[in-house]
């Protein structure tokens, strides 16, 4: 296994109530480098101890003894431990992804990335231990990385760990706890649900036909996350949200930040303060599902994944990072288009965020360009949108950008309100995109980008940065407070539309 360093790793187990348990850590030659004593508590018959901080490396042996009985765990390394959770796109195994045979064959090259998978389980009460384990701590092999479909081991989790290992060059431990077709409410504690005013009772969620997994509030938190709280972690990776495109979509801007804050508090407390309070939390923004969708629930969910601020980290979601995946569509996926097979790009984008946010790598570009302001040229019928980074335009999609004019300037014959109208890209220069306000909509109340369930073809959205990272979707659905379509003009007859202050920051 891998235990967390340099924080103290928490070790726990069972024993005879009242008895003393001695825990010893020994090096390769049998030399004891650390010894701890813990008392077995009743009635749970459990003991816990915190190891002294260790430097990365190994191997070590860990022995717990009570009287004449002892248990020894061998081949232990110290490094970083990441928890990977979510629904089926996290549960997709290495067997199911693009270039699977090559990825499985490469497993043998990474013996210092260790993997562990909790079995799917649910409970109406918080459990202290996992009911079952699908994969005990293991060295990766083609067999245990590709055990079957949606079993173990998670491709996103494995690739994230592998890319981190290649950057860090020290051991990485990966813990998978995922279940397909599950909403965020099932992964949330009762505390987190209360924070969003959601009912906690089992009957509060009526079953949805789209969802194959447990939907009852807190049942997966109880059985799959609560038993892990003693672990000292370096970070969390989360790929979930498709279920909530069909269930409580517009509550996700509360339920997701609440889950993050609650998990952080719980892991910090459960590890005796060893897991840092602002536990780095990375997530994958939703990919695609239906090419011609009747609604915008996926677009809204993507927006809510950022707490309606467009990029992370932000004030509502500090210490977080996001992999944009809306351009990684896969219509011919044998597992359904909701399960794209390109998990390499997902994990690569996720690992860049981890390196920047969790590991503090300076000057590392880990997210795509985001708008900082827009200037409306009324007389020319143009809207100039300025971005935070140098732009690469891969496709001038007429529907990539849309504007919403105020009702009083709707064209004759159009229903009122006018709704969202395409704003074609007429020019892309360095950091600025110029949009045409076609026809009579020369005043703008709202602006949005890539607001569709299937916004573009594979790796062909409109805007990327020079590192190949896509611009995330955004929505500005009303002017900043106090402004009207008749705003003050600047030189040249322009009107300045400033986007919300939280949008111009990429700070950690």
């Amino acid at each position: 296994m891998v235990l967390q360093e340099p924080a103290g790793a928490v070790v726990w187990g069972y024993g005879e109530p009242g008895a003393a348990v001695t825990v010893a850590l020994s090096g390769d030659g049998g030399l004891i480098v650390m010894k701890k004593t813990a008392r077995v508590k009743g009635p749970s018959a459990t003991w816990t101890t915190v190891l002294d901080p260790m430097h990365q490396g190994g191997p070590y042996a860990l022995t717990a003894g009570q009287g004449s009985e002892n248990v020894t765990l061998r081949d232990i390394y110290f490094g970083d431990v990441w928890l990977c959770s979510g629904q089926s796109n996290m549960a997709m195994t290495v067997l199911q992804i693009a270039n699977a045979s090559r990825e499985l064959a490469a497993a043998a090259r990474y013996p210092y990335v260790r993997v562990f998978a909790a079995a799917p389980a649910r409970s109406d009460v918080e459990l202290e231990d996992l009911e079952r384990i699908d994969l005990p701590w293991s060295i990766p092999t083609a067999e245990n990385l590709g055990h079957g479909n949606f079993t173990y081991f998670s491709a996103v989790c494995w690739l994230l760990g592998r890319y981190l290992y290649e950057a860090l060059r020290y051991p990485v431990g990966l813990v998978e706890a995922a279940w397909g077709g599950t909403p965020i409410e099932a992964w949330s504690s009762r505390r987190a649900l209360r924070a969003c005013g959601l009912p906690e009772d089992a009957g509060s969620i009526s079953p949805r036909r789209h969802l194959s997994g447990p939907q009852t509030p807190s049942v997966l938190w109880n059985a799959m996350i609560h038993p892990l709280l003693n672990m000292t972690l370096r970070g969390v990776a989360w790929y979930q949200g498709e279920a909530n495109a069909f269930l409580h979509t517009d509550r996700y801007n509360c339920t997701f930040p609440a889950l993050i804050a609650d998990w952080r508090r719980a892991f910090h407390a459960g590890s005796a303060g060893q897991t840092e309070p602002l536990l780095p939390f990375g997530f994958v923004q939703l990919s695609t599902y239906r090419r011609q969708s009747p609604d915008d629930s996926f677009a809204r969910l993507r927006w809510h994944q950022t707490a309606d601020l467009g990029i992370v980290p932000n004030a509502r979601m500090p210490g977080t990072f996001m992999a944009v995946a809306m351009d990684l569509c896969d219509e011919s996926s044998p597992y359904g288009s909701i399960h794209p097979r390109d998990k390499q790009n997902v994990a690569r984008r996720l690992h860049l965020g981890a390196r920047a946010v969790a590991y503090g790598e300076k000057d590392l570009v880990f997210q795509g360009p985001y708008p900082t302001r827009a200037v409306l040229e009324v007389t020319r019928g143009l809207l100039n949108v300025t971005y935070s980074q140098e732009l690469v335009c891969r496709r001038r999609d007429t529907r990539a950008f849309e504007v919403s004019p105020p009702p009083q300037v709707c064209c004759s014959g159009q229903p009122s309100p006018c709704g969202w109208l395409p704003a074609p890209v007429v020019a892309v220069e360095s950091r600025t995109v110029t949009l045409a306000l076609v026809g009579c909509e020369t005043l703008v109340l709202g602006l949005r980008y890539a607001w569709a369930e299937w916004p573009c073809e594979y790796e062909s959205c409109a805007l990327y940065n020079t590192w190949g990272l896509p611009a995330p979707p955004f929505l500005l659905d009303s002017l900043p407070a106090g402004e009207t379509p008749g705003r003050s003009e600047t030189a040249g007859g322009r009107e300045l539309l400033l986007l919300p202050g939280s949008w111009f920051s990429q700070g950690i």
Side-chain angles (χ1 to χ4, degrees):
M1 70 174 75
V2 174
L3 295 176
Q4 184 62 45
E5 61 77 34
V10 180
V11 178
W12 70 100
Y14 294 97
E16 200 66 44
V21 173
T22 301
V23 178
L25 185 73
S26 53
D28 212 10
L31 180 68
I32 293 177
V33 296
M34 187 190 313
K35 195 174 262 191
K36 298 283 181 178
T37 303
R39 186 70 60 182
V40 181
K41 298 174 187 171
S44 65
T46 58
W47 54 269
T48 304
T49 190
V50 180
L51 301 184
D52 298 334
M54 296 287 293
H55 293 296
Q56 67 249 21
Y60 294 92
L62 190 67
T63 299
Q66 174 194 285
S68 60
E69 296 180 73
N70 62 67
V71 175
T72 299
L73 306 176
R74 303 186 188 279
D75 197 25
I76 293 171
Y77 283 77
F78 286 86
D80 283 344
V81 182
W82 283 79
L83 170 64
C84 302
S85 187
Q87 53 182 112
S88 53
N89 270 304
M90 182 60 86
M92 271 182 84
T93 69
V94 182
L95 183 70
Q96 298 177 265
I97 64 171
N99 300 312
S101 55
R102 191 179 69 199
E103 300 291 2
L104 290 169
R109 300 206 307 267
Y110 299 93
Y112 301 112
V113 181
R114 304 290 171 87
V115 291
F116 175 98
R122 68 185 98 188
S123 172
D124 292 331
V125 295
E126 292 181 340
L127 301 183
E128 298 305 316
D129 205 354
L130 296 170
E131 285 187 348
R132 287 187 305 114
I133 293 169
D134 266 350
L135 180 67
W137 278 110
S138 304
I139 292 173
T141 65
E143 290 72 29
N144 61 30
L145 293 185
H147 179 74
N149 293 344
F150 302 107
T151 54
Y152 58 86
F153 190 75
S154 163
V156 169
C157 192
W158 163 250
L159 292 167
L160 170 64
R162 200 182 90 186
Y163 298 154
L164 285 176
Y165 173 77
E166 288 168 349
L168 301 169
R169 308 310 299 181
Y170 60 74
V172 175
L174 302 171
V175 177
E176 177 187 350
W179 193 333
T182 53
I184 194 170
E185 291 81 4
W187 296 99
S188 303
S189 73
R190 291 172 179 263
R191 272 185 319 274
L193 295 171
R194 279 197 300 269
C196 294
L198 282 169
E200 307 161 33
D201 59 290
S204 63
I205 295 183
S206 54
R208 296 298 197 276
R209 60 180 176 83
H210 302 276
L211 309 186
S212 58
Q215 300 170 45
T216 307
S218 303
V219 292
L220 302 183
W221 157 267
N222 291 341
M224 298 180 71
I225 302 301
H226 191 268
L228 304 177
L229 294 182
N230 289 347
M231 296 186 89
T232 308
L233 297 180
R234 187 66 182 85
V236 175
W238 175 258
Y239 196 159
Q240 189 278 335
E242 297 89 348
N244 288 97
F246 306 104
L247 178 71
H248 294 163
T249 305
D250 293 317
R251 291 176 173 175
Y252 207 87
N253 55 5
C254 181
T255 51
F256 188 35
L259 176 140
I260 294 170
D262 187 65
W263 281 27
R264 283 171 167 165
R265 279 192 301 270
F267 275 99
H268 180 66
S271 63
Q274 299 303 305
T275 296
E276 61 179 282
L278 199 65
L279 177 66
F281 198 108
F283 63 95
V284 183
Q285 195 176 44
L286 287 194
S287 187
T288 52
Y289 179 27
R290 299 163 295 191
R291 184 181 288 276
Q292 299 295 332
S293 176
D295 61 40
D296 67 347
S297 60
F298 263 60
R300 297 199 323 272
L301 203 287
R302 289 187 194 114
W303 184 240
H304 295 332
Q305 285 180 293
T306 67
D308 300 349
L309 292 168
I311 54 169
V312 298
N314 60 50
R316 288 195 62 201
M317 297 175 65
T320 60
F321 52 95
M322 174 176 77
V324 175
M326 66 179 179
D327 65 329
L328 303 177
C329 52
D330 186 0
E331 197 165 26
S332 60
S333 171
Y335 315 105
S337 58
I338 203 167
H339 298 123
R341 287 166 290 179
D342 180 357
K343 295 297 192 266
Q344 290 88 341
N345 266 313
V346 169
R348 196 167 287 114
R349 294 170 184 179
L350 204 53
H351 112 280
L352 289 175
R355 286 168 58 188
V357 175
Y359 294 96
E361 277 195 45
K362 301 299 179 191
D363 305 319
L364 178 71
V365 176
F366 66 99
Q367 54 192 346
Y370 205 74
T372 57
R373 67 171 189 162
V375 176
L376 182 63
E377 296 188 56
V378 177
T379 53
R380 298 176 63 197
L382 299 175
L383 184 64
N384 296 312
V385 184
T386 302
Y387 273 79
S388 58
Q389 300 169 355
E390 203 80 14
L391 296 171
V392 174
C393 182
R394 292 192 184 175
R395 182 183 174 91
R396 292 198 177 184
D397 190 332
T398 54
R399 288 213 75 96
F401 287 92
E402 295 171 298
V403 293
S404 174
Q408 63 267 35
V409 294
C410 281
C411 298
S412 59
Q414 281 186 322
S416 184
C418 323
W420 292 92
L421 306 170
V425 175
V426 294
V428 178
E429 296 177 5
S430 184
R431 298 186 175 208
T432 303
V433 178
T434 301
L435 308 176
L437 304 179
V438 180
C440 46
E441 332 82 46
T442 55
L443 292 175
V444 174
L445 267 184
L447 172 66
R448 67 189 190 183
Y449 170 73
W451 200 263
E453 189 165 307
W454 194 290
C456 62
E457 294 311 303
Y458 180 75
E459 291 191 321
S460 297
C461 277
L463 299 178
Y464 292 76
N465 63 16
T466 53
W467 290 270
L469 295 173
F474 72 82
L475 169 70
L476 179 66
D477 58 3
S478 61
L479 295 174
E483 297 204 4
T484 67
R487 306 187 289 290
S488 59
E489 295 184 358
T490 62
R494 299 180 177 189
E495 291 184 344
L496 187 64
L497 168 63
L498 285 175
L499 303 187
S502 52
W503 287 22
F504 59 72
S505 171
Q506 291 210 59
I508 295 168

